[in-house]
Amino acid sequence: MPQGSETRSDGAEQAPGNAPAGGNTRRGLLIGAGLAGIAGLAAACGGTDDGGEAGDSNGSGGSTGGARPNGGGQPQGGGREIAKTADIPVGGGKVFEDAKVVVCQPAQGQFKAFSSACTHRGCAVGSVSDGTINCHCHGSKFKITDGSVAAPPADEPLPEKKITVQGDQIMLA
Ligand code: FES
């Protein structure tokens, strides 16, 4: 059997000059087209809807309902109540982890709120005492009057948060 003009791909290299590069290229194109087709099929099949498991939502209401004021005449776009004025000691403050704020009352009837994220490395501040908001991670302290640094290593003040006081409720804007 003569191996004349047929090109065979038995693995070994063909004789120089008699092996056109077109054979490999054509095969590559065919393989590429096949892969593209498979990819297309896979994409088309991606959206099967299994229906999922029937999700009983018994008791999964979250905890949003707690302290909602029942005042009908609240201003629109208002925030949410985070504390009662009576909760905040004069000359002190309180950290509200959920709301990520610390609310202070530097003077009677004067309320301020700051982000509870320490500006040093981002720990949540842990307490308010002796006129300062204290971060327990590395010891930074911030003044309750304006959030400025009272003790390093933090070197930037706590950002102030906007609050409004309506009656005995402190609302986070
Ligand atoms: S993160 Fe608060 S002192 Fe370092």
Side-chain angles (χ1 to χ4, degrees), residues 52-163:
E53 314 219 355
D56 263 22
S57 56
N58 270 348
S60 68
S63 59
T64 53
R68 185 163 187 190
N70 60 349
Q74 288 194 359
Q76 287 187 347
R80 57 190 166 119
E81 179 185 342
I82 51 173
K84 300 278 189 199
T85 54
D87 296 337
I88 314 300
V90 177
K94 190 170 178 185
V95 179
F96 295 90
E97 289 287 334
D98 289 349
K100 296 186 167 67
V101 295
V102 52
V103 180
C104 303
Q105 188 175 188
Q108 178 72 45
Q110 178 189 38
F111 293 93
K112 298 246 179 184
F114 306 96
S115 166
S116 64
C118 179
T119 56
H120 177 230
R121 296 264 175 93
C123 286
V125 296
S127 66
V128 182
S129 63
D130 298 328
T132 59
I133 301 160
N134 311 309
C135 179
H136 298 162
C137 281
H138 310 99
S140 292
K141 294 176 186 269
F142 305 88
K143 294 179 186 170
I144 64 170
T145 51
D146 58 4
S148 62
V149 175
D155 59 3
E156 291 186 34
L158 292 177
E160 190 162 353
K161 295 280 192 178
K162 190 170 182 304
I163 53 171

